[in-house]
Amino acid sequence: MKHQSAVAENATHMNGLDVQAAIDTIAAIKADKSLARFQFRARNRWISGGENRSMIRDFYGAGHEDNSRAMTFEFINGEPPVLLGNNEGANPVEFLLHALAGCVTTTFVLHAMARGITIRELSTVLEGDLDLRGLLGLDDTVPPGYEQIHIRMNVKADCTDKDLDDLLAYAQQHSPVCNTVCRPVPVVIERVIT
Amino acid sequence: MKHQSAVAENATHMNGLDVQAAIDTIAAIKADKSLARFQFRARNRWISGGENRSMIRDFYGAGHEDNSRAMTFEFINGEPPVLLGNNEGANPVEFLLHALAGCVTTTFVLHAMARGITIRELSTVLEGDLDLRGLLGLDDTVPPGYEQIHIRMNVKADCTDKDLDDLLAYAQQHSPVCNTVCRPVPVVIERVIT
């Protein structure tokens, strides 16, 4: 969140974000870094075959348990017939692309605001390649996950192409989901009995 | 997909999966590994602030473009007020947990079938910790993404605890989303003009 001085002092909102709220959040975290600690959560229940459902509502952040959500979000994972399902929902690797698209976009828009750049339009197209032999355990040299993910971003804004390229590189480096994909993040799984 | 001999020959479905279809898929991929190549896709459009929407429908796999989906799946990313949004949807790092939960679950259930294990119930609880200073660019030593993700799985099945622990370790190693998170996966972002 550098370049805050570039934010027009009389702008209450920029790119749909409350500028003063952003400035206040950053000041609070600078004064007490424990406010930056967040824990996000999901609960998932298997239905049958490739269908399962997640419930998402509570999280911890900014020093307290959040209670802002009146309803629980529910999402359905499914699989297409070629992957033994009935298209009950998008599948998990597709939801990962949705998460990645959203995170890069929000990070881009947030840091655009910090730089005083107004975004007019922004859309992305994502493609992720993988080899099913990894999932199936047919070849241990084939990674089960995405080999790579390609994002094409189309953005229109009131700045130069160079400004957009700089901002995009910054957003790529600072997006939490992009960083979780690019960096090896430990996943600890334990079996519990309830 | 080892231990296929353990699948009862007269079982048409196990854990909600079509056993013969799974066997046929594996045989086809063994005969022509190009059938294992998949490309998943998403298109995302920014709305305002932390709100954006993804559309997911087509993908390539098993040697052709899939056309099994009559409708496009649409998902909304949002942010809670503490992150400058209005809870328009779950946020991207939460959708990542949904993707991870679903993928570990489906991988577990699939390989349970391959081992002749009937799953009766399976649920997971996920927690992911992150430090907002990474996203905000306040400290370059703080990674923007999850520090770690913890999954607690509760599973009831007709096998021993040792069988479940072995299966869980195998599912963790072979889940595409888990592997994408645990392994550094390249994300290439380019700006396009349309």
Side-chain angles (χ1 to χ4, degrees):
Chain A
M1 298 289 281
K2 291 156 187 167
H3 312 284
Q4 280 176 47
S5 58
V7 177
E9 284 185 27
N10 59 354
T12 60
H13 280 72
M14 190 169 209
N15 300 334
L17 296 166
D18 184 325
V19 176
Q20 191 58 51
I23 291 169
D24 291 348
T25 297
I26 290 163
I29 289 173
K30 280 182 174 172
D32 178 1
K33 68 183 182 185
S34 76
L35 297 176
R37 298 216 55 80
F38 278 68
Q39 182 182 79
F40 294 101
R41 302 163 187 152
R43 290 162 210 279
N44 184 282
R45 189 167 61 87
W46 175 59
I47 307 297
S48 178
E51 182 182 359
N52 59 75
R53 298 178 182 215
S54 294
M55 285 171 291
I56 292 174
R57 182 169 180 178
D58 56 293
F59 66 89
Y60 175 88
H64 59 83
E65 286 289 321
D66 183 80
N67 62 2
S68 70
R69 292 167 169 169
M71 302 279 284
T72 297
F73 296 116
E74 186 170 337
F75 306 109
I76 303 172
N77 280 302
E79 293 291 351
V82 71
L83 294 171
L84 309 181
N86 301 298
N87 282 323
E88 304 89 345
N91 78 8
V93 289
E94 292 175 317
F95 272 108
L96 177 75
L97 297 182
H98 166 61
L100 180 60
C103 197
V104 169
T105 295
T106 298
T107 305
F108 189 95
V109 166
L110 175 69
H111 286 286
M113 177 199 71
R115 295 176 183 206
I117 296 172
T118 297
I119 307 296
R120 291 200 300 273
E121 290 177 34
L122 196 169
S123 61
T124 52
V125 176
L126 287 82
E127 295 174 348
D129 296 299
L130 63 78
D131 188 319
L132 208 63
R133 290 178 297 165
L135 164 65
L136 297 174
L138 296 178
D139 185 339
D140 285 347
T141 67
V142 174
Y146 279 124
E147 292 157 10
Q148 78 157 22
I149 299 171
H150 199 121
I151 305 179
R152 291 181 183 83
M153 178 183 286
N154 185 17
V155 53
K156 294 186 171 58
D158 67 345
C159 63
T160 67
D161 281 356
K162 165 113 184 21
D163 291 338
L164 286 180
D165 289 335
D166 291 348
L167 180 56
L168 180 54
Y170 193 86
Q172 177 165 12
Q173 287 159 7
H174 291 80
S175 156
V177 173
C178 190
N179 180 260
T180 300
V181 170
C182 293
R183 183 172 56 92
V185 171
V187 176
V188 177
I189 313 186
E190 65 174 320
R191 206 160 57 77
V192 296
I193 295 160
T194 58
Chain B
M1 298 289 281
K2 291 157 187 167
H3 312 285
Q4 280 175 47
S5 59
V7 176
E9 284 185 28
N10 59 353
T12 61
H13 280 72
M14 189 169 211
N15 300 334
L17 296 166
D18 183 326
V19 176
Q20 191 58 50
I23 291 169
D24 292 348
T25 297
I26 289 163
I29 288 173
K30 280 183 173 171
D32 178 0
K33 67 183 182 186
S34 77
L35 297 177
R37 297 216 55 77
F38 278 69
Q39 181 182 77
F40 294 100
R41 302 163 187 151
R43 290 163 209 280
N44 184 282
R45 189 167 61 87
W46 175 59
I47 307 297
S48 179
E51 182 182 359
N52 59 75
R53 297 178 184 216
S54 294
M55 285 171 292
I56 292 174
R57 182 169 180 178
D58 57 293
F59 66 88
Y60 176 89
H64 60 82
E65 286 290 320
D66 183 81
N67 62 3
S68 70
R69 290 165 170 171
M71 303 279 284
T72 298
F73 296 115
E74 186 171 338
F75 306 108
I76 303 171
N77 280 303
E79 293 290 351
V82 70
L83 294 171
L84 309 180
N86 301 298
N87 282 324
E88 303 89 345
N91 79 7
V93 289
E94 292 175 317
F95 272 107
L96 177 75
L97 297 183
H98 166 61
L100 180 60
C103 197
V104 169
T105 296
T106 298
T107 305
F108 190 96
V109 167
L110 175 68
H111 286 287
M113 176 198 72
R115 295 175 183 205
I117 296 171
T118 297
I119 307 296
R120 291 200 301 272
E121 291 177 34
L122 196 170
S123 61
T124 52
V125 176
L126 288 81
E127 296 173 348
D129 297 298
L130 64 78
D131 187 320
L132 207 64
R133 290 177 298 164
L135 164 65
L136 296 173
L138 296 178
D139 185 339
D140 285 346
T141 67
V142 174
Y146 279 123
E147 292 157 10
Q148 78 157 19
I149 298 171
H150 199 120
I151 305 180
R152 290 180 183 83
M153 177 184 285
N154 184 17
V155 54
K156 293 185 172 58
D158 68 345
C159 64
T160 67
D161 281 356
K162 165 112 183 23
D163 290 339
L164 286 181
D165 288 336
D166 289 349
L167 180 56
L168 180 54
Y170 193 85
Q172 177 165 13
Q173 286 159 8
H174 291 80
S175 156
V177 174
C178 190
N179 181 261
T180 300
V181 169
C182 292
R183 183 172 55 93
V185 171
V187 176
V188 177
I189 312 186
E190 66 175 318
R191 205 160 57 77
V192 297
I193 295 160
T194 57

